[in-house]
Amino acid sequence: MERLRQRMPFALLKRLVARVSAAYCNAHQTELVQDRDARRALRAVDAFPASAYYLSSWFSLTGRPLSHKAADKSLSSWSLRCDLAGNAIAVQGADNRPTTRGVHAEWLVHNALDLGIRDGDLPSDMQLCTNIYLPNPHANEQERICYGSSFFGRGSSYLNSIKPLYTQIDCLAITCRAIYVLEVKSRGGDIRVNQNNSPARALPDGTTNSLMPAVQQCEAHASAFATMHPAIPFERIFELTVFANCNSFESPHADFKNNVLVSTCSDAHAPFIHAIARQEQALASKEPLFSLDEVQSMATTIRQRYGDINGKKERLHMERIALISTLRPRC
């Protein structure tokens, strides 16, 4: 080839190479096209789950990407991954960070609700409001029960002027007849619920760890919502605490008891969906609280006013909680 290059002009050599390449492409055109189409198809298949995630109602309501790395270590960072699961996508945590587990648990619950609406198990008029930050009106009162007295210290004078900015609600489900306030927790292990709707997690040493603060947190969120909407009868506001990704879950209650239910959720199991459906059936004979237009209007107002698409409220909320934690007296 070197001798040939030296003997003939460069332009002639270039034309010769082009002819040989064209002849090869013509002879193997079918194989080349099939290989190109196969590569494009593989790229499309790989991109489909992520595309479906970013087109989902969850992303449109929360603005949470699959992966997020906060510049400040005190703020939330997480990493999720998407895979194909039949005709749907399956979202999993890409690491074992607490925030990743929490975001994944919230996605599981939202996805179960969304599927329940689309499949007809839940009322078609149900509207979901996810990751809602209600402003905390108790600037000069004792801290709300949702954060727990042990977190702040009892009667701490250090905290009289430093209060949480928001009450953060994982999910609100609004129908014509009821409001469902959901608190979602990612908890591993074996969870047992007693007759009083008090959950506990069994530990390897045979003892148990109470998970009642999660139920109290949900109760406080329901109270905060009721305070902001006094026209809604409190008996139409239901508190639902969901533990996701636990190894096993047992409860004597399949339905709401005194407007409270503790349930579970996984990729294949979401019994709280049927509990909500049965509660809606029980309320069918009662006067609706809202018309269809009013349900839509309320959900839109809550999303626009109290949603957090850009993450600003979450950042302010976490910074304030970190400050309060720092100022907590050491007993």
Side-chain angles (χ1 to χ4, degrees):
M1 179 61 70
E2 182 64 22
R3 290 182 180 179
L4 183 63
R5 187 185 67 79
Q6 293 174 355
R7 291 180 180 178
M8 66 175 58
F10 178 76
L12 182 60
L13 177 62
K14 186 177 180 180
R15 287 198 298 270
L16 178 61
V17 172
R19 288 185 179 181
V20 171
S21 177
Y24 177 85
C25 290
N26 290 332
H28 300 275
Q29 183 176 11
T30 303
E31 292 85 349
L32 291 173
V33 169
Q34 290 176 346
D35 184 57
R36 181 200 63 193
D37 293 344
R39 289 196 302 270
R40 289 179 177 176
L42 286 174
R43 287 197 297 268
V45 169
D46 291 339
F48 173 76
S51 299
Y53 176 90
Y54 286 108
L55 291 173
S56 67
S57 63
W58 157 265
F59 180 75
S60 69
L61 293 177
T62 65
R64 287 176 168 171
L66 282 170
S67 180
H68 173 69
K69 185 176 181 180
D72 190 333
K73 292 183 178 180
S74 65
L75 303 180
S76 300
S77 298
W78 66 85
S79 182
L80 305 175
R81 70 173 189 271
C82 275
D83 300 303
L84 282 174
N87 295 326
I89 62 169
V91 175
Q92 301 293 336
D95 55 52
N96 201 38
R97 285 178 293 184
T99 307
T100 294
R101 296 198 303 268
V103 173
H104 175 241
E106 292 175 18
W107 181 89
L108 279 176
V109 171
H110 177 93
N111 189 57
L113 289 166
D114 191 43
L115 287 175
I117 296 170
R118 286 187 284 152
D119 293 344
D121 296 327
L122 294 176
S124 60
D125 66 332
M126 177 177 281
Q127 295 290 322
L128 303 180
C129 302
T130 304
N131 200 30
I132 300 302
Y133 287 81
L134 301 181
N136 184 0
H138 302 278
N140 298 310
E141 296 182 20
Q142 186 179 4
E143 294 297 343
R144 296 186 63 79
I145 191 175
C146 62
Y147 297 103
S149 59
S150 63
F151 185 85
F152 296 101
R154 290 179 289 181
S156 170
S157 60
Y158 292 90
L159 303 177
N160 287 339
S161 61
I162 303 177
K163 307 296 179 183
L165 295 177
Y166 301 101
T167 294
Q168 193 260 334
I169 299 178
D170 292 332
C171 184
L172 285 172
I174 306 172
T175 70
C176 290
R177 289 179 167 81
I179 306 289
Y180 300 89
V181 180
L182 287 84
E183 176 64 24
V184 182
K185 299 294 184 184
S186 178
R187 295 291 185 270
D190 303 313
I191 297 178
R192 304 291 180 264
V193 182
N194 64 18
Q195 291 290 340
N196 296 322
N197 260 328
S198 178
R201 178 168 51 183
L203 299 178
D205 60 2
T207 60
T208 59
N209 175 30
S210 175
L211 299 176
M212 194 61 190
V215 180
Q216 294 172 333
Q217 190 174 1
C218 187
E219 177 187 7
H221 292 171
S223 297
F225 181 85
T227 300
M228 297 190 68
H229 299 83
I232 301 176
F234 195 65
E235 61 269 17
R236 295 288 190 96
I237 300 178
F238 294 85
E239 303 161 20
L240 176 55
T241 306
V242 182
F243 293 101
N245 295 321
C246 51
N247 295 341
S248 66
F249 181 90
E250 292 182 8
S251 173
H253 307 294
D255 296 305
F256 288 91
K257 178 184 178 182
N258 299 324
N259 285 39
V260 176
L261 177 64
V262 180
S263 190
T264 186
C265 183
S266 65
D267 283 317
H269 190 51
F272 69 93
I273 297 296
H274 302 293
I276 294 176
R278 289 189 293 268
Q279 186 60 54
E280 285 292 308
Q281 292 175 358
L283 294 172
S285 60
K286 297 184 179 295
E287 188 71 19
L289 295 174
F290 318 104
S291 66
L292 293 175
D293 290 341
E294 288 171 336
V295 170
Q296 179 67 51
S297 176
M298 174 182 284
T300 301
T301 300
I302 290 174
R303 293 165 188 160
Q304 293 177 348
R305 188 171 299 174
Y306 306 120
D308 191 34
I309 293 295
N310 60 11
K312 180 179 179 180
K313 294 186 181 72
E314 180 184 21
R315 178 175 59 81
L316 295 174
H317 180 63
M318 295 303 295
E319 288 176 349
R320 178 57 62 91
I321 293 299
L323 175 62
I324 294 174
S325 179
T326 301
L327 295 177
R328 182 185 61 179
R330 306 299 178 183
C331 302

